[in-house]
Amino acid sequence: QVQLVESGGGLVQPGGSLRLSCAAAGNIYSIYAVGWFRQAPGKERTFVMGTMWSGSNVWSDDSVKGRFTLSRDNAKNTVYLQMNSLKPEDTALYYCAAKITKASGWTEWGQGTQVTVSS
């Protein structure tokens, strides 16, 4: 089993930056990919960015291309979501999730961290 813990959310002004962290624990060697999702109030949860646990391949939603990036610290089993040029529409609860195989769904989820972009 895999445990995921997000951190780094907060309140930021439009145009500002935040870095979210997703720390993985447990059977991390079973992880195929890690992804970030977000859910705004009254809306469905949507995909933001993802990467294979090996670090190869990165996928991102068009809405964040050029603004958000992923990075990893292998020693800490942590994936980071660097968010720049934040907009009010980026306000949401951000979740980290993991896939165990290429064909499986996103079955492992963290508890979420709130990001609020407001002046």
Side-chain angles (χ1 to χ4, degrees), residues 89-112:
E89 50 264 43
D90 294 317
T91 294
L93 188 60
Y94 282 72
Y95 295 92
C96 177
K99 302 183 78 169
I100 304 304
T101 69
K102 184 177 182 180
S104 70
W106 299 94
T107 56
E108 316 299 319
W109 292 85
Q111 81 288 352

Side-chain angles (χ1 to χ4, degrees), residues 25-39:
N27 190 14
I28 60 171
Y29 299 103
S30 68
I31 298 175
Y32 172 79
V34 174
W36 285 96
F37 293 75
R38 63 187 179 186
Q39 187 168 19

Side-chain angles (χ1 to χ4, degrees), residues 1 9 14 17 27-28 38 44 48 51 62 65 70 72 75 80-81 87 95 100 102 110 117 119:
Q1 193 170 0
S17 299
N27 190 14
I28 60 171
R38 63 187 179 186
E44 294 185 352
V48 178
T51 182
D62 287 345
K65 284 182 178 177
L70 284 177
R72 288 187 59 192
Y80 301 100
L81 179 67
K87 306 174 182 180
Y95 295 92
I100 304 304
K102 184 177 182 180
V117 184
S119 55

Side-chain angles (χ1 to χ4, degrees), residues 20-86:
L20 305 183
S21 301
C22 173
N27 190 14
I28 60 171
Y29 299 103
S30 68
I31 298 175
Y32 172 79
V34 174
W36 285 96
F37 293 75
R38 63 187 179 186
Q39 187 168 19
K43 295 188 177 181
E44 294 185 352
R45 189 178 300 181
T46 59
F47 174 79
V48 178
M49 292 194 75
T51 182
M52 293 177 66
W53 187 244
S54 64
S56 61
N57 294 345
V58 176
W59 319 280
S60 60
D61 184 76
D62 287 345
S63 65
V64 304
K65 284 182 178 177
R67 300 189 298 125
F68 291 10
T69 57
L70 284 177
S71 62
R72 288 187 59 192
D73 184 331
N74 292 332
K76 296 182 178 180
N77 296 321
T78 299
V79 174
Y80 301 100
L81 179 67
Q82 178 67 45
M83 306 185 295
N84 300 326
S85 302
L86 283 162

